[in-house]
Amino acid sequence: MNAHTEAALTPWLQGDATPVHEARVLTEGGSLAKIVLDNQIYTLRITRQGKLILTK
């Protein structure tokens, strides 16, 4: 993460130990990533409008 991204995320990190993940890092600069939970595969997609969709 660069300083600009870290500064933007700072309010979300204060007093909260919840992990924060940058979606574009998860997709390695693309628009799709596969996420596995309990042997089930989910697809995370970034739309052209910059929205996130998680499907099974």
Side-chain angles (χ1 to χ4, degrees), residues 23-32 46:
R24 298 203 189 279
V25 172
L26 292 174
T27 62
E28 296 181 350
S31 61
L32 292 173
I46 302 174

Side-chain angles (χ1 to χ4, degrees), residues 38-56:
D38 297 333
N39 294 320
Q40 302 261 349
I41 298 176
Y42 295 81
T43 301
L44 177 71
R45 182 167 63 96
I46 302 174
T47 68
R48 288 186 203 124
Q49 295 81 25
K51 310 277 182 175
L52 291 177
I53 298 174
L54 182 65
T55 55
K56 189 171 182 183

